[in-house]
Amino acid sequence: MGAPRKFNRTRVYIPSQGPMSWQAFLAEPVRQWRTGYSAKTLAHCWESANGLPDEIAHMFDGSAELLVALPEHKVPLDGGNRDSQNDLFALIRFGDQTCAATVEGKVSEPFGPTVGEWYAEPSQGKRERMRQLCDLLGFDDVPPFHIRYQLMHRTASALIEARRFKTDEAAMIVHSFSAARMWFEDFATFARLFGAEVSPDLSSMVVLKSGQRLRLGWATGDEDFLKC
């Protein structure tokens, strides 16, 4: 036998043994795994649900079922080695339809840099990535600089995975545990780029230039999980 093969990316997933299993997949497992913050809160919420949390199920028409959920799911993008690391990726069935959804957990954390901050004096790699994101999202040009860059690549991740898994639609859902709905306006501003008006705990459907269906939603989670 020859030398063992080196794998840069695996397609093998290990079943979760509970919320603590999620910690190892964080970019910074010690710093990010804290009570009252999104990573730990999201893990406890989804593990306790034994399926879809009710507020996520309500984003869909009819009865919704979780098929599989992958914490800290990485989706490769053009223009460099840094993937989009999504808090959670879920395959969901509702009625006779399927959806590839990225879920972004939030408490008080912002959505990161704006497009203007991330794209200031862009490298060739950033230009390549921006072209890919705009193509996927159906934008003719770089979006306004006040738009949050994280919302772009999280949504693009859902669209990429929807194509890979051949689902009927893609979804990007913010799962917020903030009673004050912090950063909702940033999300609503992003949704307006697609002509969508969003409200908390409701989803909005748009059809992109590519023909892909995209569901955008803001789901309010149970604040009790902030204590876990």
Side-chain angles (χ1 to χ4, degrees), residues 148-177:
R148 296 288 180 173
Y149 167 67
Q150 185 184 81
L151 292 171
M152 290 184 66
H153 65 84
R154 294 292 193 257
T155 305
S157 293
L159 294 166
I160 290 169
E161 295 300 73
R163 292 178 181 180
R164 186 161 74 96
F165 287 98
K166 297 184 178 180
T167 61
D168 297 289
E169 65 174 54
M172 201 286 286
I173 298 171
V174 178
H175 198 174
S176 171
F177 296 85

Side-chain angles (χ1 to χ4, degrees), residues 80-94:
N81 296 322
R82 189 169 183 178
D83 301 335
S84 179
Q85 185 163 337
N86 299 272
D87 292 345
L88 186 70
F89 170 70
L91 287 174
I92 298 167
R93 176 186 290 134
F94 59 104

Side-chain angles (χ1 to χ4, degrees), residues 30-203:
V30 175
R31 186 183 69 82
Q32 292 177 301
W33 192 255
R34 292 188 288 170
T35 297
Y37 287 77
S38 61
K40 194 173 183 182
T41 303
L42 192 73
H44 279 274
C45 175
W46 279 73
E47 290 280 0
S48 296
N50 192 29
L52 285 175
D54 288 344
E55 59 271 21
I56 300 296
H58 291 160
M59 294 286 105
F60 297 89
D61 306 318
S63 178
E65 173 192 1
L66 177 65
L67 301 179
V68 66
L70 306 177
E72 300 300 324
H73 182 63
K74 295 181 179 181
V75 177
L77 298 172
D78 291 348
N81 296 322
R82 189 169 183 178
D83 301 335
S84 179
Q85 185 163 337
N86 299 272
D87 292 345
L88 186 70
F89 170 70
L91 287 174
I92 298 167
R93 176 186 290 134
F94 59 104
D96 61 353
Q97 305 283 297
T98 54
C99 175
T102 52
V103 178
E104 182 67 19
K106 280 287 176 274
V107 181
S108 59
E109 310 95 326
F111 287 109
T114 63
V115 169
E117 292 164 341
W118 181 81
Y119 205 59
E121 300 182 1
S123 63
Q124 181 60 33
K126 286 190 175 184
R127 291 179 187 276
E128 291 175 8
R129 177 159 298 190
M130 182 59 75
R131 279 195 294 270
Q132 181 193 27
L133 296 180
C134 288
D135 181 61
L136 285 164
L137 299 172
F139 299 161
D140 294 327
D141 203 351
V142 177
F145 277 7
H146 62 275
I147 296 297
R148 296 288 180 173
Y149 167 67
Q150 185 184 81
L151 292 171
M152 290 184 66
H153 65 84
R154 294 292 193 257
T155 305
S157 293
L159 294 166
I160 290 169
E161 295 300 73
R163 292 178 181 180
R164 186 161 74 96
F165 287 98
K166 297 184 178 180
T167 61
D168 297 289
E169 65 174 54
M172 201 286 286
I173 298 171
V174 178
H175 198 174
S176 171
F177 296 85
S178 167
R181 293 173 177 156
M182 293 183 68
W183 314 111
F184 174 76
E185 189 52 42
D186 282 347
F187 175 69
T189 300
F190 174 71
R192 291 187 194 107
L193 295 178
F194 303 95
E197 291 294 332
V198 292
S199 300
D201 301 308
L202 295 173
S203 66

